[in-house]
Amino acid sequence: MKALNSKNWQYFLGPLSKDNPVVVQILGICSALAVTAQLKPAFVMAASVVVVTGFANLIMSCLRKGVPSRIRIIVQLVVIAFLVILVDQVLKAYVYDVSKQLSVYVGLIITNCILMGRVEAFALGHKPWPSFVDGIANGVGYGIILLMLGFVRELFGSGSLWGFRVVPEAWYIQNGGFYANNGLMMLPPMALILVGLIIWVHRSSNKDLIEK
Amino acid sequence: MESLNIFIKSIFIDNMVFAYFFGMCSYIAVSKSVKTANGLGLAVIFVMALTVPLNWLLNEYILKPGALGWISNSLGDIDLSFLSFIIFIAVIASFVQLVEMVVERFAPGLYNQLGIFLPLIAVNCAIMGASLFMQERAYPSLGQATMFGLGSGIGWWLAIIMMAAIRERLEYSQIPAPLRGPGIAFIITGLMGIAFMSFLGIQL
């Protein structure tokens, strides 16, 4: 079997836009909103989720014939929790400041609906390799939305990107300029409204997703 | 007095939905009618009010750095806190399973009403989030942890029935086609969040 034949390629491309986990399947919203006030934590979170979704799908797909369906939820939670603990320990070891900023949201990857949703909907019915591709793709689709939100919120909310200043200091009102940061961008409600707007734009260009 | 403050604070100021976005998936998916939203909300209150104190006990006597000191002094410097994710989620998942069986046996009417919502609660991030916040904020007593769990549950219930009531009315309004469904739900939640921010001024 070729590593990425056309079917697997479809599994990979689907979640990036047409079947995006955040704006179409409405999964994994909690963390998408909470960690995106700045670009850096958003990126770290997205990378962690890609790793966990990919491997959770892979492991559950390998186990799918041996696990009775009555106890599958517990088994899924144990597998996912195990992966998340690994990710959490790695983050604490290498990027401690970001890990502090993400606080409880790293632990909440366990209950991120993308994971359970993709394992239930895909990995339990497919072979390991396509499941792995599907997991990675859904993680990346989620990451794209996180980065978009992080970009807009950090740029307009604090005038910087990835911690580097983009809007010159001299432009600010307190330095005699004309510019002020939009404080609302840093607050939770604005993240919700931005996701609403992304859904609006996305559905305008994909007419078949519009609800009657 | 402190417990009462925590209770009020977790309902209004630190509302699970508006301040931390916990449980958004089921919040958006199940808020189409007030009746089902109410059922899910009540189940969340119940599970949260019991799992948070349960996890508090586990955290206090097993997981915290040095928590095993009550068995013998030699175990005093063990730190098991890296296990907390897996222990918390195991407690929540098995507790939900237990509640489901008890309710099915003793209150079949309620069981039919709640239907599929009970098992779904295990993966509602609000429940797990409440336990993780309890650990992070290190509430000093069991009473305060219980109040925090109860208050957070009530806050979540309040948010979802308000949202469901608004969405029932929205059925009759003219919304731009691409915004229908989740799009408008997000924007309304954002506006409700701004309204809830006015509680921030309350000093407790």
Side-chain angles (χ1 to χ4, degrees), chain B residues 43-194:
Chain B
V44 166
I45 296 181
F46 183 68
V47 174
M48 215 186 256
L50 291 171
T51 52
V52 171
L54 212 58
N55 282 334
W56 185 87
L57 288 174
L58 284 170
N59 186 44
E60 191 73 11
Y61 293 109
I62 296 180
L63 296 172
K64 233 165 60 165
L68 287 172
W70 59 275
I71 299 176
S72 77
N73 276 333
S74 57
L75 296 174
D77 50 357
I78 296 181
D79 176 6
L80 290 179
S81 54
F82 69 94
L83 282 178
S84 50
F85 294 162
I86 207 159
I87 300 246
F88 286 176
I89 197 69
V91 165
I92 290 168
S94 46
F95 188 79
V96 168
Q97 197 90 59
L98 193 76
V99 169
E100 198 185 345
M101 290 192 294
V102 170
V103 172
E104 189 180 7
R105 173 77 181 76
F106 293 104
L110 182 66
Y111 181 76
N112 288 334
Q113 262 177 19
L114 289 178
I116 51 154
F117 297 132
L118 266 179
L120 275 183
I121 289 179
V123 286
N124 185 327
C125 33
I127 312 270
M128 181 72 176
S131 285
L132 290 174
F133 265 136
M134 172 275 298
Q135 187 191 34
E136 192 179 87
R137 293 178 190 165
Y139 288 113
S141 75
L142 185 60
Q144 291 189 11
T146 315
M147 277 313 194
F148 170 69
L150 187 64
S152 301
I154 293 177
W156 201 86
W157 167 80
L158 192 67
I160 196 172
I161 53 167
M162 283 186 347
M163 186 66 195
I166 294 178
R167 281 182 85 172
E168 280 190 355
R169 305 286 301 185
L170 273 183
E171 294 279 307
Y172 307 108
S173 6
Q174 298 261 327
I175 303 164
L179 262 183
R180 270 181 224 144
I184 195 74
F186 277 112
I187 293 180
I188 291 172
T189 311
L191 296 177
M192 283 158 78
I194 294 177

Side-chain angles (χ1 to χ4, degrees), chain A:
Chain A
M1 191 178 73
K2 240 177 74 187
L4 274 177
N5 56 23
S6 61
K7 205 161 152 223
N8 284 338
W9 192 236
Q10 283 310 313
Y11 288 147
F12 186 75
L13 287 183
L16 298 191
S17 164
K18 275 265 183 220
D19 202 18
N20 188 286
V22 179
V23 298
V24 180
Q25 305 175 50
I26 318 291
L27 297 174
I29 310 288
C30 335
S31 47
L33 300 173
V35 302
T36 52
Q38 279 162 344
L39 205 50
K40 199 174 171 193
F43 177 79
V44 172
M45 185 72 184
S48 321
V49 170
V50 170
V51 172
V52 179
T53 46
F55 284 96
N57 261 10
L58 181 68
I59 294 173
M60 280 317 292
S61 176
C62 295
L63 293 176
R64 73 186 188 280
K65 295 212 174 96
V67 179
S69 74
R70 284 190 69 87
I71 59 158
R72 68 178 194 286
I73 303 266
I74 301 269
V75 175
Q76 286 163 15
L77 284 174
V78 170
V79 167
I80 293 169
F82 156 74
L83 289 167
V84 172
I85 290 176
L86 288 186
V87 166
D88 182 47
Q89 299 290 321
V90 170
L91 289 186
K92 274 190 182 138
Y94 291 99
V95 278
Y96 187 73
D97 52 328
V98 179
S99 147
K100 266 269 150 296
Q101 232 176 330
L102 291 173
S103 77
V104 299
Y105 292 97
V106 178
L108 285 174
I109 298 178
I110 297 174
T111 49
N112 192 321
C113 342
I114 294 179
L115 285 156
M116 291 294 260
R118 289 328 291 175
V119 167
E120 284 278 299
F122 198 93
L124 291 180
H126 289 81
K127 289 209 173 82
W129 173 247
S131 302
F132 185 64
V133 172
D134 179 79
I136 296 283
N138 275 284
V140 173
Y142 167 88
I144 291 174
I145 303 291
L146 247 70
L147 291 181
M148 279 162 69
L149 286 171
F151 180 82
V152 173
R153 289 181 72 189
E154 191 176 353
L155 182 61
F156 292 104
S158 40
S160 59
L161 282 175
W162 202 272
F164 296 109
R165 184 134 295 283
V166 174
V167 179
E169 291 283 356
W171 285 13
Y172 282 95
I173 290 178
Q174 59 266 35
N175 301 334
F178 58 91
Y179 187 82
N181 284 327
N182 184 349
L184 192 59
M185 280 289 173
M186 304 307 283
L187 297 175
M190 200 56 204
L192 287 161
I193 294 174
L194 280 177
V195 173
L197 296 179
I198 291 177
I199 291 179
W200 190 358
V201 172
H202 186 255
R203 295 203 172 182
S204 311
S205 55
N206 294 284
K207 295 276 186 229
D208 47 325
L209 293 173
I210 293 174
E211 288 183 19
K212 288 208 278 52

